[in-house]
């Protein structure tokens, strides 16, 4: 009913930049929150940044002032602009959305993408 797809990952040198995109599609009535998580090798998945329907943002301290999360409501899309990348930012980045399905019941559900690889290396 709802699909979430990430894109924009790749290989960059330290200090470089990448912009990740996440598009939600399907029977969407509303999206209350979208956020980005990452999972590095040997580490648990952690939240990187989130943005609510009202526009409130939250960042992990390790990426604050370097990453910026934004959204395009008309396209059900969220972006993560990543600047000044460090090797420790290397991880698979996952998009998450809490969506209300456009059916009579209008129930909410958590939707996850399959992830996009970000590698920061010289």
């Amino acid at each position: 009913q709802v699909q979430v797809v990430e894109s924009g990952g790749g290989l960059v040198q330290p200090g470089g930049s990448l912009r990740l995109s996440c598009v939600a599609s399907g029977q969407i009535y509303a999206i209350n929150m979208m956020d980005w998580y990452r999972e590095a090798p040997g580490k648990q998945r952690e939240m990187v940044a989130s943005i609510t329907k009202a526009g409130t943002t939250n960042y992990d301290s390790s990426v604050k002032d370097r990453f910026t999360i934004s959204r395009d409501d008309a396209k059900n899309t969220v972006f993560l602009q990543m600047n000044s990348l460090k090797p420790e930012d290397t991880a698979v980045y996952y998009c998450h959305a809490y969506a209300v399905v456009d059916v009579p019941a209008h129930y909410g559900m958590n939707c996850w993408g399959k992830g996009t690889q970000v590698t920061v290396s010289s």
Side-chain angles (χ1 to χ4, degrees):
Q1 294 174 307
V2 178
Q3 296 80 43
V4 177
V5 180
E6 309 97 331
S7 63
L11 173 64
V12 297
Q13 296 183 357
S17 298
L18 280 176
R19 180 171 60 88
L20 305 183
S21 299
C22 172
V23 180
S25 61
Q27 297 177 288
I28 300 172
Y29 180 78
I31 297 178
N32 292 337
M33 177 181 290
M34 298 186 78
D35 43 31
W36 289 94
Y37 286 73
R38 67 185 180 187
E39 185 173 333
K43 299 179 66 177
Q44 65 181 8
R45 189 175 299 185
E46 63 181 3
M47 190 190 75
V48 177
S50 66
I51 185 167
T52 69
K53 182 179 180 180
T56 301
T57 58
N58 188 36
Y59 297 92
D60 183 82
S61 61
S62 66
V63 305
K64 188 174 178 62
D65 299 325
R66 298 190 298 119
F67 292 9
T68 302
I69 188 170
S70 61
R71 69 186 190 189
D72 184 340
D73 291 342
K75 298 180 179 180
N76 289 322
T77 301
V78 65
F79 304 95
L80 185 66
Q81 178 65 47
M82 306 186 296
N83 298 325
S84 301
L85 284 163
K86 304 175 181 179
E88 48 264 47
D89 294 318
T90 296
V92 176
Y93 284 70
Y94 296 90
C95 179
H96 165 263
Y98 184 74
V100 178
V101 182
D102 190 16
V103 295
H106 286 90
Y107 62 89
M109 63 183 298
N110 289 291
C111 307
W112 289 90
K114 293 182 172 62
T116 184
Q117 177 71 49
V118 172
T119 302
V120 185
S121 176
S122 59

